Amino acid sequence: MTAKNSCVDLDGKKYNRILLICVLLVGSFCAILNHAMLATALPDIMKELKVDAANGQWLASGFLLINGIMIPIAALLMSKVSSRFLYIIAMMFFLLGTLLSAAAHQFPVLLAGRMIQAAGTGIMIPLTETIFLLVFPKEKRGFAMGLDGLVIALGRAVGLTLSGWVVDNYHWRVLFYLLIPVSLFVLVIACLTIRRIIPLTHSKIDYLSIVLSSIGFGGLLYGFSSVGNHGWTDVNVVMGLAIGTVITILFIWRQLKIKEPIVNLKVFRSPLFSLSVVVGGTIMTAMIGAELVLPLYLQNSRGESAFFSGLVIMPGAIVMGLMSPVTGIIFDKIGVRNLAIAGMCLLTIGTIPFMFLTMSTTYGFMIVLYAVRFFGISMVMMPMTTAGMNTLPDTLMSDGIAVNNTMRTIVGSIGTSILISVMSNVTKTELPEKNMFGSDPTLYNVLKTDAVLNGVNAAFMVAVSFCLLTLALTFFIKERHIKHRIQ
């Protein structure tokens, strides 16, 4: 153990910072691997469990929603529970959800397993980021968060291709079987290496706020997710959105009024932090939504294997992984504004051609464009997050991470459900009548393929609108915002 990497925890005991970071990164890799594997496996899961895209997407958007709801709860738990014990509990939840998912033979059971996994991930990710920001000095946080971005991208790259290979050669449940020993390994190593890093303040938990946030965000997600099956004017959609909006407003009002809110909205006094939250949410939508839509197009429309669809997406994830530490170093030297504008330009340019996919679009063209998209994301996601967090004092660090991750995840889950709902709704509207198959099967198949393609293109049109909105927002980043630190 070198003196440079030797640190002292809250109990006054020395620990190796590099070893601690490595363990946390392995845990993050496991969580991201789990989420990424679903993208290429989803078409096969939908076929076996007999669910459509509008319902199947709940395995992704529902996961993100529970994840988002748990993040502010995790921030409260950080103030009341030892960071070491909390991390171990998170890994135990993740392992339990993995076991249940592996044993699932019905869609509701698999969904329940994913929700339990999400609860563990919702604690693990913000806990990891908080520890990262506390054990590294401010001038090295860009590089530290870049390492986290590298592991996230690596998890996505491995998850997408591993998932495709497993689904093509074995069964999608094998994906969860593979996660079980990895989760056990992380759990055992965490028991030996994780230390108490985060100071405890013993904040009071407001249970009503937890209920309001769950109902509010859940209602919004349910409303947007139901569009694919019922259309925008259906009573389920309207009621879901209306109830979700009202309850979410009540939740926000309560956070402003009570003494110890579960989401400390004081962090929004920082203009740059506020921008980083919005940008992070829209990027999550563009990233995760595309990861679900593209494999559906490749497997259902083009008839490609799950492994092949993973290979198409993998280079983009690798590019993001390689660039994340680099952009972290660049951020530490030049700041975030120029990085964010350039990155959003690349993401927007790389997404626009996906609005015009056809049955003859070359795979090389898609691979290059997807890599361009993720190159842009690597220039925006972690630098914006780090810049926003750097404007907060250490006393608001855990609150900032909770708010950032909560809003980013929930906006991402709702945005993803919007993309899938638009795709499903357009496809359903343009599908030919089933009786045409008997009279002219050739024309029926052509029209069916066109309907699916139009649905995919419509989803990417929505993704482009998110990209354009975010690009416009990056021009509002000012140097004075970067230098301003709220108290």
Side-chain angles (χ1 to χ4, degrees), residues 18 21 25 132 136 141-153 321 324-326 328 382:
I18 298 300
I21 293 302
L25 289 176
F132 260 53
F136 280 95
R141 285 175 181 170
F143 173 72
M145 295 300 282
L147 284 178
D148 195 31
L150 170 62
V151 170
I152 290 173
S324 288
V326 176
M382 286 302 179

PDB file of all heavy atoms in Angstrom, residues 18 21 25 132 136 141-153 321 324-326 328 382:
ATOM      1  N   ILE A  18      -7.200   2.777  -4.142  1.00  0.00           N
ATOM      2  CA  ILE A  18      -7.272   2.102  -5.440  1.00  0.00           C
ATOM      3  C   ILE A  18      -8.057   0.804  -5.322  1.00  0.00           C
ATOM      4  O   ILE A  18      -8.904   0.488  -6.173  1.00  0.00           O
ATOM      5  CB  ILE A  18      -5.855   1.815  -5.984  1.00  0.00           C
ATOM      6  CG1 ILE A  18      -5.094   3.129  -6.196  1.00  0.00           C
ATOM      7  CG2 ILE A  18      -5.941   1.012  -7.290  1.00  0.00           C
ATOM      8  CD1 ILE A  18      -5.758   4.068  -7.179  1.00  0.00           C
ATOM      9  N   ILE A  21     -11.777   1.618  -4.967  1.00  0.00           N
ATOM     10  CA  ILE A  21     -12.349   2.046  -6.238  1.00  0.00           C
ATOM     11  C   ILE A  21     -12.546   0.859  -7.172  1.00  0.00           C
ATOM     12  O   ILE A  21     -13.574   0.756  -7.871  1.00  0.00           O
ATOM     13  CB  ILE A  21     -11.444   3.105  -6.903  1.00  0.00           C
ATOM     14  CG1 ILE A  21     -11.429   4.396  -6.071  1.00  0.00           C
ATOM     15  CG2 ILE A  21     -11.908   3.405  -8.325  1.00  0.00           C
ATOM     16  CD1 ILE A  21     -12.782   5.014  -5.844  1.00  0.00           C
ATOM     17  N   LEU A  25     -16.025  -0.305  -8.875  1.00  0.00           N
ATOM     18  CA  LEU A  25     -16.149  -0.356 -10.327  1.00  0.00           C
ATOM     19  C   LEU A  25     -16.642  -1.727 -10.798  1.00  0.00           C
ATOM     20  O   LEU A  25     -17.434  -1.818 -11.744  1.00  0.00           O
ATOM     21  CB  LEU A  25     -14.805  -0.032 -10.993  1.00  0.00           C
ATOM     22  CG  LEU A  25     -14.344   1.427 -10.905  1.00  0.00           C
ATOM     23  CD1 LEU A  25     -12.964   1.591 -11.525  1.00  0.00           C
ATOM     24  CD2 LEU A  25     -15.344   2.366 -11.569  1.00  0.00           C
ATOM     25  N   PHE A 132     -16.957   8.027  -4.733  1.00  0.00           N
ATOM     26  CA  PHE A 132     -15.990   8.502  -5.723  1.00  0.00           C
ATOM     27  C   PHE A 132     -15.681   9.978  -5.508  1.00  0.00           C
ATOM     28  O   PHE A 132     -14.515  10.386  -5.500  1.00  0.00           O
ATOM     29  CB  PHE A 132     -16.566   8.297  -7.137  1.00  0.00           C
ATOM     30  CG  PHE A 132     -16.034   7.086  -7.837  1.00  0.00           C
ATOM     31  CD1 PHE A 132     -16.086   5.847  -7.226  1.00  0.00           C
ATOM     32  CD2 PHE A 132     -15.493   7.168  -9.106  1.00  0.00           C
ATOM     33  CE1 PHE A 132     -15.604   4.724  -7.853  1.00  0.00           C
ATOM     34  CE2 PHE A 132     -15.012   6.053  -9.751  1.00  0.00           C
ATOM     35  CZ  PHE A 132     -15.063   4.820  -9.129  1.00  0.00           C
ATOM     36  N   PHE A 136     -11.843  11.498  -3.989  1.00  0.00           N
ATOM     37  CA  PHE A 136     -10.990  12.191  -4.946  1.00  0.00           C
ATOM     38  C   PHE A 136     -11.113  13.701  -4.755  1.00  0.00           C
ATOM     39  O   PHE A 136     -12.208  14.213  -4.523  1.00  0.00           O
ATOM     40  CB  PHE A 136     -11.378  11.848  -6.390  1.00  0.00           C
ATOM     41  CG  PHE A 136     -10.853  10.521  -6.871  1.00  0.00           C
ATOM     42  CD1 PHE A 136     -11.642   9.381  -6.800  1.00  0.00           C
ATOM     43  CD2 PHE A 136      -9.573  10.417  -7.387  1.00  0.00           C
ATOM     44  CE1 PHE A 136     -11.166   8.157  -7.240  1.00  0.00           C
ATOM     45  CE2 PHE A 136      -9.086   9.204  -7.832  1.00  0.00           C
ATOM     46  CZ  PHE A 136      -9.880   8.067  -7.756  1.00  0.00           C
ATOM     47  N   ARG A 141     -11.714  14.905 -10.115  1.00  0.00           N
ATOM     48  CA  ARG A 141     -13.023  14.256 -10.212  1.00  0.00           C
ATOM     49  C   ARG A 141     -13.406  13.942 -11.655  1.00  0.00           C
ATOM     50  O   ARG A 141     -14.101  12.964 -11.917  1.00  0.00           O
ATOM     51  CB  ARG A 141     -14.093  15.146  -9.566  1.00  0.00           C
ATOM     52  CG  ARG A 141     -14.033  15.133  -8.044  1.00  0.00           C
ATOM     53  CD  ARG A 141     -15.024  16.106  -7.447  1.00  0.00           C
ATOM     54  NE  ARG A 141     -14.950  16.095  -5.988  1.00  0.00           N
ATOM     55  CZ  ARG A 141     -15.565  16.975  -5.212  1.00  0.00           C
ATOM     56  NH1 ARG A 141     -16.315  17.930  -5.767  1.00  0.00           N
ATOM     57  NH2 ARG A 141     -15.456  16.904  -3.904  1.00  0.00           N
ATOM     58  N   GLY A 142     -12.982  14.761 -12.600  1.00  0.00           N
ATOM     59  CA  GLY A 142     -13.286  14.480 -13.997  1.00  0.00           C
ATOM     60  C   GLY A 142     -12.704  13.147 -14.428  1.00  0.00           C
ATOM     61  O   GLY A 142     -13.366  12.325 -15.070  1.00  0.00           O
ATOM     62  N   PHE A 143     -11.434  12.901 -14.049  1.00  0.00           N
ATOM     63  CA  PHE A 143     -10.796  11.631 -14.381  1.00  0.00           C
ATOM     64  C   PHE A 143     -11.484  10.479 -13.656  1.00  0.00           C
ATOM     65  O   PHE A 143     -11.701   9.401 -14.237  1.00  0.00           O
ATOM     66  CB  PHE A 143      -9.318  11.679 -13.996  1.00  0.00           C
ATOM     67  CG  PHE A 143      -8.614  10.360 -14.151  1.00  0.00           C
ATOM     68  CD1 PHE A 143      -8.331   9.854 -15.415  1.00  0.00           C
ATOM     69  CD2 PHE A 143      -8.238   9.623 -13.045  1.00  0.00           C
ATOM     70  CE1 PHE A 143      -7.686   8.635 -15.563  1.00  0.00           C
ATOM     71  CE2 PHE A 143      -7.604   8.402 -13.179  1.00  0.00           C
ATOM     72  CZ  PHE A 143      -7.321   7.906 -14.443  1.00  0.00           C
ATOM     73  N   ALA A 144     -11.834  10.691 -12.374  1.00  0.00           N
ATOM     74  CA  ALA A 144     -12.486   9.642 -11.596  1.00  0.00           C
ATOM     75  C   ALA A 144     -13.830   9.257 -12.201  1.00  0.00           C
ATOM     76  O   ALA A 144     -14.150   8.066 -12.360  1.00  0.00           O
ATOM     77  CB  ALA A 144     -12.672  10.104 -10.148  1.00  0.00           C
ATOM     78  N   MET A 145     -14.641  10.255 -12.551  1.00  0.00           N
ATOM     79  CA  MET A 145     -15.933   9.972 -13.165  1.00  0.00           C
ATOM     80  C   MET A 145     -15.752   9.398 -14.567  1.00  0.00           C
ATOM     81  O   MET A 145     -16.590   8.626 -15.045  1.00  0.00           O
ATOM     82  CB  MET A 145     -16.777  11.246 -13.218  1.00  0.00           C
ATOM     83  CG  MET A 145     -17.155  11.787 -11.837  1.00  0.00           C
ATOM     84  SD  MET A 145     -18.115  10.633 -10.847  1.00  0.00           S
ATOM     85  CE  MET A 145     -19.731  10.850 -11.601  1.00  0.00           C
ATOM     86  N   GLY A 146     -14.632   9.744 -15.219  1.00  0.00           N
ATOM     87  CA  GLY A 146     -14.327   9.144 -16.513  1.00  0.00           C
ATOM     88  C   GLY A 146     -14.072   7.649 -16.387  1.00  0.00           C
ATOM     89  O   GLY A 146     -14.478   6.858 -17.250  1.00  0.00           O
ATOM     90  N   LEU A 147     -13.391   7.242 -15.312  1.00  0.00           N
ATOM     91  CA  LEU A 147     -13.192   5.818 -15.055  1.00  0.00           C
ATOM     92  C   LEU A 147     -14.535   5.114 -14.866  1.00  0.00           C
ATOM     93  O   LEU A 147     -14.746   4.005 -15.375  1.00  0.00           O
ATOM     94  CB  LEU A 147     -12.331   5.620 -13.805  1.00  0.00           C
ATOM     95  CG  LEU A 147     -10.834   5.877 -13.925  1.00  0.00           C
ATOM     96  CD1 LEU A 147     -10.166   5.683 -12.570  1.00  0.00           C
ATOM     97  CD2 LEU A 147     -10.209   4.949 -14.963  1.00  0.00           C
ATOM     98  N   ASP A 148     -15.427   5.770 -14.131  1.00  0.00           N
ATOM     99  CA  ASP A 148     -16.762   5.209 -13.938  1.00  0.00           C
ATOM    100  C   ASP A 148     -17.477   5.078 -15.284  1.00  0.00           C
ATOM    101  O   ASP A 148     -18.134   4.069 -15.564  1.00  0.00           O
ATOM    102  CB  ASP A 148     -17.566   6.110 -12.992  1.00  0.00           C
ATOM    103  CG  ASP A 148     -18.815   5.411 -12.453  1.00  0.00           C
ATOM    104  OD1 ASP A 148     -18.786   4.176 -12.289  1.00  0.00           O
ATOM    105  OD2 ASP A 148     -19.817   6.099 -12.206  1.00  0.00           O
ATOM    106  N   GLY A 149     -17.313   6.098 -16.129  1.00  0.00           N
ATOM    107  CA  GLY A 149     -17.911   6.041 -17.465  1.00  0.00           C
ATOM    108  C   GLY A 149     -17.318   4.932 -18.311  1.00  0.00           C
ATOM    109  O   GLY A 149     -18.023   4.282 -19.100  1.00  0.00           O
ATOM    110  N   LEU A 150     -16.014   4.683 -18.147  1.00  0.00           N
ATOM    111  CA  LEU A 150     -15.354   3.598 -18.877  1.00  0.00           C
ATOM    112  C   LEU A 150     -15.969   2.253 -18.504  1.00  0.00           C
ATOM    113  O   LEU A 150     -16.266   1.429 -19.375  1.00  0.00           O
ATOM    114  CB  LEU A 150     -13.858   3.598 -18.560  1.00  0.00           C
ATOM    115  CG  LEU A 150     -13.051   2.382 -19.046  1.00  0.00           C
ATOM    116  CD1 LEU A 150     -13.099   2.273 -20.561  1.00  0.00           C
ATOM    117  CD2 LEU A 150     -11.603   2.467 -18.555  1.00  0.00           C
ATOM    118  N   VAL A 151     -16.170   2.037 -17.217  1.00  0.00           N
ATOM    119  CA  VAL A 151     -16.743   0.769 -16.752  1.00  0.00           C
ATOM    120  C   VAL A 151     -18.190   0.632 -17.218  1.00  0.00           C
ATOM    121  O   VAL A 151     -18.627  -0.462 -17.617  1.00  0.00           O
ATOM    122  CB  VAL A 151     -16.653   0.681 -15.213  1.00  0.00           C
ATOM    123  CG1 VAL A 151     -17.450  -0.502 -14.695  1.00  0.00           C
ATOM    124  CG2 VAL A 151     -15.202   0.559 -14.791  1.00  0.00           C
ATOM    125  N   ILE A 152     -18.946   1.728 -17.181  1.00  0.00           N
ATOM    126  CA  ILE A 152     -20.332   1.697 -17.649  1.00  0.00           C
ATOM    127  C   ILE A 152     -20.378   1.311 -19.127  1.00  0.00           C
ATOM    128  O   ILE A 152     -21.165   0.455 -19.544  1.00  0.00           O
ATOM    129  CB  ILE A 152     -21.012   3.060 -17.423  1.00  0.00           C
ATOM    130  CG1 ILE A 152     -21.238   3.286 -15.921  1.00  0.00           C
ATOM    131  CG2 ILE A 152     -22.333   3.153 -18.186  1.00  0.00           C
ATOM    132  CD1 ILE A 152     -21.752   4.670 -15.570  1.00  0.00           C
ATOM    133  N   ALA A 153     -19.506   1.928 -19.937  1.00  0.00           N
ATOM    134  CA  ALA A 153     -19.477   1.621 -21.366  1.00  0.00           C
ATOM    135  C   ALA A 153     -19.022   0.191 -21.619  1.00  0.00           C
ATOM    136  O   ALA A 153     -19.557  -0.511 -22.489  1.00  0.00           O
ATOM    137  CB  ALA A 153     -18.560   2.603 -22.090  1.00  0.00           C
ATOM    138  N   GLY A 321     -16.538   3.880 -24.048  1.00  0.00           N
ATOM    139  CA  GLY A 321     -15.658   3.448 -22.974  1.00  0.00           C
ATOM    140  C   GLY A 321     -14.253   3.996 -23.117  1.00  0.00           C
ATOM    141  O   GLY A 321     -13.647   4.469 -22.146  1.00  0.00           O
ATOM    142  N   SER A 324     -14.330   7.940 -22.445  1.00  0.00           N
ATOM    143  CA  SER A 324     -14.764   8.491 -21.156  1.00  0.00           C
ATOM    144  C   SER A 324     -13.609   9.004 -20.298  1.00  0.00           C
ATOM    145  O   SER A 324     -13.666  10.148 -19.803  1.00  0.00           O
ATOM    146  CB  SER A 324     -15.582   7.448 -20.391  1.00  0.00           C
ATOM    147  OG  SER A 324     -16.839   7.272 -20.989  1.00  0.00           O
ATOM    148  N   PRO A 325     -12.530   8.228 -20.080  1.00  0.00           N
ATOM    149  CA  PRO A 325     -11.409   8.796 -19.301  1.00  0.00           C
ATOM    150  C   PRO A 325     -10.755   9.975 -20.006  1.00  0.00           C
ATOM    151  O   PRO A 325     -10.304  10.922 -19.364  1.00  0.00           O
ATOM    152  CB  PRO A 325     -10.436   7.611 -19.185  1.00  0.00           C
ATOM    153  CG  PRO A 325     -11.239   6.393 -19.464  1.00  0.00           C
ATOM    154  CD  PRO A 325     -12.282   6.828 -20.446  1.00  0.00           C
ATOM    155  N   VAL A 326     -10.699   9.919 -21.357  1.00  0.00           N
ATOM    156  CA  VAL A 326     -10.079  11.003 -22.120  1.00  0.00           C
ATOM    157  C   VAL A 326     -10.875  12.297 -21.964  1.00  0.00           C
ATOM    158  O   VAL A 326     -10.306  13.366 -21.704  1.00  0.00           O
ATOM    159  CB  VAL A 326      -9.973  10.622 -23.618  1.00  0.00           C
ATOM    160  CG1 VAL A 326      -9.410  11.790 -24.427  1.00  0.00           C
ATOM    161  CG2 VAL A 326      -9.113   9.382 -23.789  1.00  0.00           C
ATOM    162  N   GLY A 328     -12.803  12.958 -19.581  1.00  0.00           N
ATOM    163  CA  GLY A 328     -12.656  13.378 -18.183  1.00  0.00           C
ATOM    164  C   GLY A 328     -11.419  14.221 -17.985  1.00  0.00           C
ATOM    165  O   GLY A 328     -11.451  15.256 -17.293  1.00  0.00           O
ATOM    166  N   MET A 382     -20.708  12.332 -18.613  1.00  0.00           N
ATOM    167  CA  MET A 382     -19.915  12.449 -17.391  1.00  0.00           C
ATOM    168  C   MET A 382     -19.375  13.860 -17.160  1.00  0.00           C
ATOM    169  O   MET A 382     -19.396  14.353 -16.026  1.00  0.00           O
ATOM    170  CB  MET A 382     -18.778  11.424 -17.390  1.00  0.00           C
ATOM    171  CG  MET A 382     -19.234   9.997 -17.130  1.00  0.00           C
ATOM    172  SD  MET A 382     -20.110   9.872 -15.540  1.00  0.00           S
ATOM    173  CE  MET A 382     -20.543   8.131 -15.550  1.00  0.00           C
TER     174      MET A 382
END
